[in-house]
Structure formats: structure tokens, C-alpha cells
């Protein structure tokens, strides 16, 4: 094996797509997936990789310092791609401490382990921290987030991710840790946990349940198909410059309500419903506290420096996503179990 890579959070939504891409594209890399399997982690996402010789799953918690240190001693990693996180804004509003533990303390545990392992020779090693555009806060009606936009996180989730970004840069600055950071916009696609907008609404339409639109529905997000995020991560891991930050985005802004109406139309087509059936499920509900108005990414640094661009048009990505969820109803049913029902009732009652 030419390299041994640790990928954290590989059983989650984005992590599973990153693991798949790396395991298939680099048969000479050993890929170790460290995941605690929280409510969001699901080994079914990686079923097709179970028998691959260059893939190993390790169940463990990045908050547990001993677990992290043991893993670094066992595998002698050349690189880390760190995705493990608590990732849902609404949950962070209800329980910020879990976000501080995993997103901040967990990240620092990984940085310490990498620093200790690589202290003799940092050549060829890299700590890649996967972050979010939410660290930049909220935009007004115009403008885009660039890599130089000041941090202004607004939710406990965004604050914990911002803090972890700062720690990664501090380890680069203080200890010479080789690192890259990327800050990406909203992802969508197969395997996303149905607490996030698109899979939640797809699942509700399937079950003829109401579609809870927060506030006036005019909040804006920039959407990127998850496989394109994984491709960007591969490019940045291999070609990004040490100590740099790269924004990743879809060049694809939508107001929530417009996106939801397109989703409803496509769901009516996919389910053979009369036009307008799904739209009638739209219900405006109480807004998310501190709801960020608009995110939009300037991804031109990544485009100009590394030649990355989203490969899918939004309509194509949305249809692929709907098709996947409808073809994988069992995956959804397995997830939408007891704990999910409890969360749903607390969040939307
Ligand atoms: P997710 O919630 O689907 O998956 C997170 C994974 O991390 C799960 O498999 C979970 O089991 C694992 N995990 C959580 N706590 C852990 C711990 N203490 N130890 C080990 N594993 C743990 O998240 P996602 O949407 O795939 O996001 C992945 C990363 O990408 C996160 O860092 C997130 O901040 C970032 N990100 C997400 C988006 C998005 O739109 N989803 C956009 C930009 C950046
Ligand atoms: O921008 C990147 C971020 O995108 C990631 O860092 C986060 O991990 C990811 O969860 C996502 O955060 P958002 O808060 O933007 O995603 P969410 O799917 O929760 O919400 C998208 C928009 O839809 C947001 O404006 C809130 C709104 N919404 C969401 C839900 C769950 C609703 O109107 N109703 C809902 O029920």
C-alpha cells in the first residue's frame, strides 16, 4: 500500500461518498474509516465496500483521546481527511454541548495525535479538515463568501465548526502541521439523513405528511451534489497547497420555497401524482432561531487553481436524488425508527 489514510465520519452522508471514491480510485491506498456510528452514521451506506481489501472500518469516538491515539499508533497514517461531526443546526440549538465535544474537542484530539505521529518528519503528511460555509455567517441580498470573508458564525453548530477551523490553522501556525481546509455549501444527494431539508421533504411527500417550511421560506442556500463535493475533496487532498483554504460551492443558489416547489413537481412526476398534489402539503411553521438568511459561495479559487467545477446541473442532481430515495425505501424505513420519531415530534410539534 502506498499510503494509509484515516477518513473520519465515513459512515455518514458525505463521508460515505468520499470513502467510496477513494477506495475505488486508489486501490493502492489503505483507507481506514473511523466512525462512532451515531444516529447519523450508517454502515449500510458502505455495503458495497465491505469486502474491498483496501478498506477497513474502525468503530470509535474522536472525543475519546485513548481511542484516537491507539488508532494512530496502529496504522501510522500518512494523511487524515476529517469529516466526523455533529452536523445538524436544529440539533445544535437543542444540545450545543455535544457539538462542542465532537466538533471541537474531537478535532483537537485528532490534531494532537497527528502532531505526535508526524513530529519527526512531516514530509508527505496532510491533515485535511472538512468544514462548512456556515462559519462565515449570513449574507445580505448580494455578495458571495470568499476565502477571505471574516468568520461570523451564528448557530452553535457553525460556532463549533468555526472553532475547529481555528484550531487547525493554529496547529499549522504553531507546530508546522501541514493542513488544508475546505468550506462547502449545502450538499444534497443519496444517503443524506432525513432530518435535512431535501430528504426530510422527500420522505414526508412519500408519506403524505406536511412539509414544514421555516419562517417565510425566503432563506437562500447554495446547493451542491454530494459526489461533486467528494471529487473536490479528492482534488484538494492531492493538489491543494499547504495552509490554504478552498471554498466549495455549486454556483447554484435557491430560495427554500422555490427549491421546495421544484422538488414537489418532480416528486409528483416520480410518484405519478396529479400536478400540485405535493405542493398542497407545504405548511409554514415557526422559524429556526437565529436562522441565517443567505449563503452563497464564490468557488472560483478552486476552479481557477485546481480546475474543479460541479459536474451536474441541479435538475439532473435532484432527479437522481429523488430516484435514489424512491428506489431505497428500505434504507429510509430502517432509519425512520423509534429515535427518529422522537426527534421529529420534539422538533415539529
Ligand atoms: P453526517 O451527520 O451525515 O455524518 C457525520 C458522521 O460522523 C456520522 O457517520 C457519525 O456517526 C460520525 N460521527 C459523529 N460524531 C462522531 C464522533 N464523536 N466520533 C466519530 N464519528 C462521529 O454529516 P455530513 O452531512 O456527512 O457532514 C460531514 C462533514 O461535512 C461535517 O464535518 C460537516 O460539518 C461538513 N459539511 C457538511 C455539509 C452538508 O451539507 N451536509 C456541507 C458542508 C460541510
Ligand atoms: O451550508 C452548509 C451546511 O448545510 C452544513 O454545514 C450543515 O451540516 C447542513 O446541515 C446544512 O445546513 P442548513 O441548516 O442550511 O441545512 P438544512 O437542511 O437543515 O436546512 C436547509 C434550509 O431549509 C434552511 O434554510 C432551513 C430550511 N428548513 C430546514 C428544515 C430541516 C426548513 O425550512 N424546514 C425544515 O424542516
Amino acid at each position: 500500500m502506498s499510503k494509509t489514510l484515516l477518513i473520519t465520519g465515513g459512515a455518514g452522508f458525505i463521508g460515505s461518498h468520499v470513502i467510496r471514491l477513494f477506495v475505488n480510485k486508489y486501490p493502492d491506498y489503505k483507507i481506514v474509516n473511523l466512525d462512532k456510528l451515531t444516529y447519523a452514521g450508517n454502515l449500510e451506506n458502505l455495503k458495497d465496500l465491505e469486502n474491498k481489501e483496501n478498506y477497513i472500518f474502525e468503530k470509535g469516538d474522536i472525543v475519546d483521546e485513548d481511542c484516537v491515539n491507539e488508532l494512530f499508533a496502529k496504522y501510522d497514517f500518512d494523511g487524515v481527511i476529517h469529516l466526523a461531526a455533529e452536523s445538524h443546526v436544529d440539533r445544535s440549538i437543542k444540545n450545543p454541548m455535544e457539538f462542542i465535544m465532537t466538533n471541537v474537542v474531537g478535532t483537537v484530539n485528532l490534531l494532537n495525535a497527528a502532531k505526535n505521529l508526524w513530529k519527526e518528519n512531516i514530509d508527505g503528511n496532510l491533515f485535511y479538515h472538512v468544514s462548512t460555509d456556515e462559519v462565515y455567517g449570513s449574507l445580505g441580498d448580494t455578495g458571495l463568501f470568499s476565502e477571505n470573508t471574516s468568520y461570523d458564525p451564528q448557530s452553535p453548530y457553525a460556532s463549533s465548526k468555526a472553532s475547529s477551523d481555528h484550531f487547525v490553522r493554529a496547529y499549522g501556525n504553531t507546530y508546522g502541521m501541514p493542513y488544508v481546509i475546505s468550506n462547502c455549501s449545502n450538499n444534497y444527494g443519496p444517503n443524506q439523513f432525513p432530518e435535512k431539508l431535501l430528504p426530510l421533504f422527500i420522505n414526508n411527500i412519500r408519506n403524505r405528511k406536511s412539509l414544514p417550511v421555516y419562517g417565510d421560506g425566503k432563506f437562500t442556500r447554495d446547493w451542491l451534489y454530494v459526489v461533486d463535493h467528494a471529487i473536490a475533496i479528492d482534488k484538494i487532498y492531492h493538489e491543494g497547497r499547504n495552509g490554504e483554504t478552498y471554498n466549495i460551492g455549486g454556483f447554484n443558489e435557491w430560495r427554500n420555497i422555490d427549491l421546495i416547489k421544484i422538488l414537489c413537481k418532480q416528486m409528483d412526476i416520480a410518484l405519478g401524482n396529479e400536478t400540485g398534489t405535493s405542493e398542497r402539503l407545504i405548511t409554514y411553521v415557526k422559524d429556526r432561531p437565529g436562522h441565517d438568511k443567505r449563503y452563497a459561495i464564490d468557488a472560483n479559487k478552486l476552479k481557477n487553481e485546481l480546475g474543479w467545477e460541479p459536474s451536474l446541473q441541479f435538475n439532473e442532481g435532484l432527479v437522481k436524488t429523488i430516484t435514489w430515495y424512491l428506489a431505497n425505501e428500505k434504507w429510509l424505513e430502517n432509519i425512520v425508527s423509534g429515535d427518529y420519531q422522537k426527534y421529529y415530534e420534539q422538533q415539529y410539534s
Side-chain angles (χ1 to χ4, degrees), residues 20-76:
R20 178 168 299 100
L21 188 154
F22 273 72
V23 166
N24 288 328
K25 187 169 173 188
Y26 303 106
D28 58 327
Y29 288 10
K30 187 189 285 175
I31 305 294
V32 180
N33 172 14
L34 170 63
D35 199 297
K36 183 181 172 185
L37 300 182
T38 66
Y39 77 93
N42 184 350
L43 288 178
E44 272 190 60
N45 294 345
L46 296 162
K47 250 196 149 14
D48 53 317
L49 303 179
E50 265 168 12
N51 297 320
K52 293 276 185 178
E53 280 183 0
N54 62 335
Y55 170 67
I56 298 166
F57 173 68
E58 293 273 4
K59 184 171 188 296
D61 185 346
I62 59 170
V63 178
D64 177 347
E65 201 180 339
D66 292 340
C67 155
V68 169
N69 290 339
E70 278 163 27
L71 208 72
F72 273 71
K74 181 169 169 189
Y75 289 106
D76 194 13

Side-chain angles (χ1 to χ4, degrees), residues 9 11-15 34-38 40-41 60-63 83-87 102 130-132 157 161 184-187 192 196 229:
F13 166 47
I14 301 169
L34 170 63
D35 199 297
K36 183 181 172 185
L37 300 182
T38 66
D61 185 346
I62 59 170
V63 178
L83 295 111
E86 287 294 334
S87 69
T102 288
V130 176
S131 192
T132 170
Y157 162 68
K161 292 296 289 186
C184 189
S185 62
N186 287 61
N187 284 215
Q192 188 169 31
K196 308 282 168 63
H229 188 186

Side-chain angles (χ1 to χ4, degrees), residues 243-261:
E244 291 290 320
T245 296
Y246 295 90
N247 279 352
I248 310 174
F251 301 98
N252 179 39
E253 275 186 61
W254 288 90
R255 288 193 323 175
N256 290 343
I257 191 64
D258 300 331
L259 176 85
I260 291 160
K261 286 184 177 167

